[in-house]
């Protein structure tokens, strides 16, 4: 599909969904969900590494969209809004996971205008996610495995130690090393995005 056909398809989809919302919010929301849920999950998994977390993020975005009635006030295309909201939430998830700060990253506090991503912001997002991925891939194999088990499989340190046959202190040392390197990335690029989107 060429760029012109893709643009035409997005415009057609937007028109169909807006018409559906005008007739029945439930039908409009159902159409929106059916059209974008799977592509958004594929988009989110690039950032958060696991399908389960990606699905949670996308599910939360749709839930907040419906709960707050934001679908009625979206100024841009639904597609633009949803992809921006998913990136925003993925950023918050990674920030919370990597810094140990678990804060509510609800769309309740994010309006459509705050999700208006400039080309510069998109570049910064891409750079941040690429640098996080690079740091994770550059960790020593055991350190990388422990980090991914902890942060992206939600395993406890003791659980990891038992499974890998390691001392708890060893697991903790690997986690401290991984987090120290990743926090450095977040403190440089991530803080810029945090200011823009918080």
């Amino acid at each position: 599909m060429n760029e012109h056909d893709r643009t035409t398809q997005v415009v057609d989809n937007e028109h169909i969904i807006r018409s559906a919302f005008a007739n029945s919010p439930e039908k409009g929301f159902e159409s929106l969900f059916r059209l974008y849920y799977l592509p958004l999950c594929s988009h989110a998994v690039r950032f958060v590494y696991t399908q389960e977390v990606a699905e949670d993020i996308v599910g939360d975005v749709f839930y907040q969209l419906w709960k707050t009635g934001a679908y009625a006030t979206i100024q841009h295309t639904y597609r633009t809004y949803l992809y921006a909201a998913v990136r925003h939430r993925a950023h918050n998830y990674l920030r919370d996971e990597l810094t140990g700060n678990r804060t509510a990253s609800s769309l309740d506090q994010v309006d459509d205008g705050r999700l208006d991503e400039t080309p510069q912001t998109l570049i910064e997002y891409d750079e941040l996610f690429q640098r996080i991925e690079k740091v994770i891939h550059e960790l020593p194999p055991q350190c990388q495995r422990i980090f991914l088990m902890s942060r992206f499989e939600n395993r406890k340190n003791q659980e990891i130690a038992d499974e890998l046959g390691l001392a708890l202190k060893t697991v903790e040392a690997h986690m401290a090393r991984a987090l120290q390197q990743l926090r450095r990335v977040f403190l440089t690029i991530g803080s810029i995005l945090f200011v823009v989107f918080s």
Side-chain angles (χ1 to χ4, degrees):
M1 183 184 289
N2 65 36
E3 195 57 39
H4 179 265
D5 290 344
R6 193 174 289 113
T7 303
T8 303
Q9 185 181 12
V10 169
V11 170
D12 289 348
N13 289 340
E14 286 295 312
H15 179 70
I16 290 164
I17 290 167
R18 287 192 188 275
S19 298
F21 269 118
N23 292 328
S24 158
E26 289 81 6
K27 290 232 182 292
F29 191 78
E30 187 183 326
S31 299
L32 194 65
F33 185 85
R34 257 186 297 163
L35 182 64
Y36 288 117
Y37 179 77
L38 290 177
L40 286 168
C41 287
S42 296
H43 186 62
V45 84
R46 287 176 49 221
F47 307 127
V48 295
Y49 300 96
T50 68
Q51 189 66 30
E52 188 179 89
V53 172
E55 288 171 4
D56 285 348
I57 285 171
V58 174
D60 283 347
V61 166
F62 275 107
Y63 173 74
Q64 290 297 333
L65 184 68
W66 179 256
K67 186 180 113 176
T68 62
Y71 58 83
T73 59
I74 290 174
Q75 297 163 10
H76 307 293
T77 66
Y78 289 110
R79 184 180 189 283
T80 300
Y81 179 91
L82 289 169
Y83 275 85
V86 164
R87 278 189 294 273
H88 175 73
R89 236 175 229 270
H91 171 263
N92 284 354
Y93 172 83
L94 286 174
R95 182 195 65 216
D96 295 350
E97 285 299 303
L98 300 180
T99 61
N101 266 343
R102 292 185 185 267
T103 57
S105 57
S106 163
L107 275 182
D108 293 40
Q109 297 116 18
V110 181
D111 63 31
D112 190 20
R114 300 288 288 280
L115 289 174
D116 189 13
E117 295 176 327
T118 65
Q120 182 60 35
T121 309
L122 289 172
I123 289 166
E124 286 165 359
Y125 262 129
D126 278 346
E127 190 180 339
L128 173 65
F129 291 123
Q130 282 170 22
R131 284 191 50 191
I132 288 170
E133 196 164 12
K134 185 173 186 286
V135 168
I136 290 171
H137 285 300
E138 287 175 352
L139 292 171
Q142 191 154 33
C143 184
Q144 181 186 119
R145 184 173 181 197
I146 288 167
F147 174 76
L148 292 173
M149 286 173 80
S150 171
R151 287 304 192 245
F152 297 105
E153 294 176 24
N154 292 317
R155 309 281 283 282
K156 304 275 181 241
N157 286 351
Q158 187 61 61
E159 232 184 300
I160 296 167
D162 293 343
E163 184 170 326
L164 300 180
L166 299 170
L168 179 60
K169 292 275 182 212
T170 304
V171 170
E172 289 168 351
H174 279 301
M175 281 302 298
R177 179 180 181 178
L179 288 170
Q180 182 183 25
Q181 302 211 26
L182 286 159
R183 282 186 186 121
R184 221 173 280 141
V185 174
F186 245 87
L187 289 173
T188 54
I189 304 174
S191 57
I192 297 165
L193 288 168
F194 182 63
V195 169
V196 171
F197 284 106
S198 58

